[in-house]
Every structure is written in structure tokens, then in C-alpha cells.
């Protein structure tokens, strides 16, 4: 009877250790050999970090199927918080930025597979807001402008691979609206009014010499 109570207490201690503290989450499969009746466990780690109760807290790492790091950052009460790094399956950094209450919040950067900057700008409560910059795969600025709730809103500029201006004008709810200008070889090619991405009303179209 005494031995039974000792085992019961040890079992309770083991349970407490698993539910509050460091943990590794795995995909686990079990195979059994019919001849030898041996059980073989295959474990592939998916994540590692700390639990307080049943909630993730503190620093966590998540892994791709090839065991490279997929993402890493901090949790607070099961929600992502503070600065996070996100990687592709080849281990290259593809984005980094801040979380608040589980949503992107603050300045974020996104990268191409070659490591060059793809875009950068601000998130508020999980949505793109304010001024953003977008770049080509060679790192050249290709557009810049304002977002509001994940949609283009306000003044935008677009550039060629040589970073020469191609067009400029305003967006409203992700559609070109108002007066737009279009360029070729850094010279004004045409200008006029646009509504719902389509030209309307009066337009000026110029020759290559600007006349």
C-alpha cells in the first residue's frame, strides 16, 4: 500500500511537469514489427517552447518538415507578441516584425528568396496601414504609397526597373481614381481622369518630345 501511494505521487509530479514548463511538440508515428513485436517511434519536432498552464508563454520556435526553423518569437498568454522572425523551408529569412495580441503591429519587412528587400511598411491591428515601399527582385524601388485597412488609399507612385517614374496618382479603395499621369523614359506620356481603373473624361496625350 505504501508503494502504491509513492507511485501515485510520482505520477502527479510528472503530469504537473508536462503541463507547466518546457515542451516539445512532435508528430509521432508508431510502427510494430510482427516478427519481433518491437515498437519503433519516429518523432519529428514541430515546435518547442514554454507553457504556463495550457497557454504558450515566453520564447517559442517552430520547425519545417526538414527541421529548419520556420518561425521564432515570443508568446504571451497564447498570443504572439513582440518581435518575430519567419523563414522559408531553405532557412532564408522572409519576414520580420512586431506582433501585439497575436496580430501584426508596427513596422514589418518582407524579403525575396534571394535575401533582398521585397516590401516594408506599417501594420496596425493586423492590417497594412500608412506608407509602404515595394521593391523588385533586384532590390530596386518599384512602388510606394499609402495603405488603409489593407487597401491602397491615397497617393501612389510606380517605377521602372531603372527606378524611373512610370505613373502617379491616387487610389480609393484599391482602385485608381482621380487625375493620373503616365510616363515613358522619364517623360510625361499622357495624363487624365480615371475612375474604377478606367480612363474617363478629358485626357492629354503627348509626343516623345513632350508636345
Amino acid at each position: 500500500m505504501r508503494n502504491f501511494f509513492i507511485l501515485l505521487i510520482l505520477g502527479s509530479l510528472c503530469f504537473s511537469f508536462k503541463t507547466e514548463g518546457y515542451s516539445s511538440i512532435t508528430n509521432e508515428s508508431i510502427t510494430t514489427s510482427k516478427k519481433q513485436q518491437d515498437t519503433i517511434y519516429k518523432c519529428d519536432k514541430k515546435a518547442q517552447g514554454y507553457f504556463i498552464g495550457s497557454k504558450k508563454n515566453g520564447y517559442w520556435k517552430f520547425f519545417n518538415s526538414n527541421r529548419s526553423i520556420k518561425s521564432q518569437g515570443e508568446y504571451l498568454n497564447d498570443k504572439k507578441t513582440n518581435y518575430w522572425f519567419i523563414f522559408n523551408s531553405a532557412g532564408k529569412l522572409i519576414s520580420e516584425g512586431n506582433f501585439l495580441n497575436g496580430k501584426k503591429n508596427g513596422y514589418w519587412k518582407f524579403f525575396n528568396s534571394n535575401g533582398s528587400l521585397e516590401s516594408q511598411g506599417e501594420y496596425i491591428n493586423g492590417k497594412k496601414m500608412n506608407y509602404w515601399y515595394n521593391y523588385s527582385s533586384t532590390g530596386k524601388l518599384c512602388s510606394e504609397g499609402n495603405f488603409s485597412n489593407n487597401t491602397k488609399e491615397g497617393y501612389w507612385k510606380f517605377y521602372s526597373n531603372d527606378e524611373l517614374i512610370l505613373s502617379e496618382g491616387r487610389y480609393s479603395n484599391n482602385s485608381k481614381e482621380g487625375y493620373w499621369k503616365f510616363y515613358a523614359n522619364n517623360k510625361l506620356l499622357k495624363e487624365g481622369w480615371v475612375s474604377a481603373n478606367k480612363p474617363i473624361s478629358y485626357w492629354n496625350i503627348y509626343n516623345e518630345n513632350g508636345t
Side-chain angles (χ1 to χ4, degrees), residues 10 36 45 69 74 82 103 110 115 118 128 143 166 196 202 210:
L10 287 173
Q36 298 178 346
K45 188 183 290 183
I69 294 177
E74 191 176 350
N82 297 331
K103 296 180 179 180
F110 296 84
E118 184 180 61
K128 287 182 178 180
S143 66
L166 290 175
Y202 190 80

Side-chain angles (χ1 to χ4, degrees), residues 109-209:
K109 291 181 179 180
F110 296 84
F111 302 91
N112 292 302
S113 57
N114 63 6
S116 65
L117 190 62
E118 184 180 61
S119 63
Q120 59 181 338
E122 187 179 6
Y123 278 89
I124 297 177
N125 201 29
K127 295 181 178 180
K128 287 182 178 180
M129 297 288 288
N130 301 324
Y131 214 78
W132 276 73
Y133 301 88
N134 300 298
Y135 304 87
S136 68
S137 58
T138 58
K140 301 291 183 67
L141 181 66
C142 59
S143 66
E144 58 180 319
N146 199 71
F147 274 96
S148 178
N149 294 320
N150 275 344
T151 61
K152 292 185 178 77
E153 197 78 39
Y155 201 75
W156 275 77
K157 290 182 178 180
F158 295 84
Y159 302 93
S160 68
N161 291 332
D162 298 322
E163 294 188 317
L164 301 176
I165 189 165
L166 290 175
S167 62
E168 58 181 328
R170 299 189 69 83
Y171 275 87
S172 178
N173 196 29
N174 242 18
S175 294
K176 291 184 177 75
E177 297 284 349
Y179 206 78
W180 274 77
K181 294 180 178 180
F182 296 85
Y183 301 84
N185 298 319
N186 220 30
K187 293 180 180 179
L188 185 61
L189 182 66
K190 56 185 178 180
E191 58 182 332
W193 295 93
V194 178
S195 179
N197 293 323
K198 296 179 180 180
I200 61 169
S201 190
Y202 190 80
W203 277 73
N204 290 316
I205 300 175
Y206 303 97
N207 295 314
E208 291 184 0
N209 60 8

Side-chain angles (χ1 to χ4, degrees), residues 8-20:
L8 185 61
I9 292 168
L10 287 173
S12 299
L13 289 172
C14 289
F15 180 78
S16 298
F17 175 76
K18 287 182 180 178
T19 57
E20 186 163 339

Side-chain angles (χ1 to χ4, degrees), residues 36-161:
Q36 298 178 346
Q37 293 298 312
D38 293 329
T39 302
I40 303 167
Y41 289 84
K42 297 179 180 179
C43 293
D44 296 313
K45 188 183 290 183
K46 292 175 63 179
Q48 64 181 32
Y50 288 87
F51 282 99
I52 296 179
S54 60
K55 295 182 178 180
K56 297 182 187 76
N57 276 275
Y59 207 80
W60 274 77
K61 290 181 180 180
F62 295 84
F63 301 90
N64 293 303
S65 58
N66 64 1
R67 298 184 181 180
S68 65
I69 294 177
K70 185 177 183 179
S71 62
Q72 59 184 7
E74 191 176 350
Y75 274 90
L76 180 63
N77 294 328
D78 230 22
K79 293 182 178 180
K80 289 177 180 178
T81 190
N82 297 331
Y83 213 80
W84 275 73
F85 300 90
I86 300 167
F87 306 86
N88 63 17
S89 59
K92 297 289 184 68
L93 181 67
I94 56 174
S95 63
E96 60 178 318
N98 203 70
F99 277 93
L100 181 65
N101 293 323
K103 296 180 179 180
K104 290 184 178 77
N105 206 80
Y107 208 79
W108 273 76
K109 291 181 179 180
F110 296 84
F111 302 91
N112 292 302
S113 57
N114 63 6
S116 65
L117 190 62
E118 184 180 61
S119 63
Q120 59 181 338
E122 187 179 6
Y123 278 89
I124 297 177
N125 201 29
K127 295 181 178 180
K128 287 182 178 180
M129 297 288 288
N130 301 324
Y131 214 78
W132 276 73
Y133 301 88
N134 300 298
Y135 304 87
S136 68
S137 58
T138 58
K140 301 291 183 67
L141 181 66
C142 59
S143 66
E144 58 180 319
N146 199 71
F147 274 96
S148 178
N149 294 320
N150 275 344
T151 61
K152 292 185 178 77
E153 197 78 39
Y155 201 75
W156 275 77
K157 290 182 178 180
F158 295 84
Y159 302 93
S160 68
N161 291 332

